[in-house]
Amino acid sequence: MARVALVTGGTRGIGASIAKALKAAGYKVAANYGGNDAAAEKFKGETEIPVYKWDVSSFEACTDGIKKVEADLGPIEILVNNAGITRDTAFHKMSLEQWSAVINTNLGSLFNMTRPVIEGMRARKFGRIINISSINGQKGQFGQVNYSAAKAGDIGFTKALALETAKAGITVNAICPGYINTEMVQAVPKDVLEKSILPLIPVGRLGEPEEIARAVVFLAADDAGAITGSTLTINGGQYMV
């Protein structure tokens, strides 16, 4: 029986590539999304992956959404916490709403999504939790105190939970992408991209969403059980840890 995988923020960008790659690898995949109905329906039509809409910053919404996924597909055994937002501004101009929205979505969602599935994983003695953090959670970034704090928190969450769940057959790992060729990065003006961003990347190009997806498939595998508490950095050499 194919294992069930749930990807948050799974209908666009990196999340969509992850969902597609997991399906291609033989998993039964569900994709969560937060707001873009048109993109979600297009993704569903193209991939035949079922989509589920809820706000990952709400614990109640996550609990209800996960129940629906499990009723439709079965117990969730692979959880990819990918959903994230930005509300960029210098800290001295940052509002409480901008801080809270990013912390609740990018960090709080890890609790909201993982808590409802962790007991089932423990009972079954198997689980794969993969958290998509960021290069900016490792090195910081001007104008992203909220985002960098949340993404750094994702790494701490990963390490602590990995210690707690190792003996239960559950692995917890993080992936830190750098600049990836998604809609968000494509929206950056070409001259900024060529003069200010690409020169910082030793491989001389943006990463591709499929490269992140392949790493997720690797970590999700049954035979990746000795890899836990790890942070996999995928940034073209821009920041080495």
Side-chain angles (χ1 to χ4, degrees), residues 85-105:
I85 62 171
T86 56
R87 297 289 185 269
D88 295 354
T89 189
F91 184 74
H92 68 277
K93 299 178 181 178
M94 187 176 293
S95 68
L96 177 59
E97 188 281 329
Q98 289 171 316
W99 170 265
S100 299
V102 170
I103 295 296
N104 293 341
T105 299

Side-chain angles (χ1 to χ4, degrees), residues 3 22 25 27 78 126-128 130 169 171 173 214-227:
R3 296 195 184 278
L22 286 168
Y27 296 92
I78 292 91
F126 181 89
R128 298 285 184 265
I130 302 160
T171 66
N173 293 288
R214 284 194 289 273
V216 171
V217 172
F218 168 71
L219 292 172
D222 280 26
D223 55 5
I227 307 169

Side-chain angles (χ1 to χ4, degrees), residues 66-79:
I66 286 168
K67 286 179 181 177
K68 292 176 185 176
V69 172
E70 294 196 323
D72 291 345
L73 301 181
I76 294 165
E77 295 180 291
I78 292 91
L79 173 63

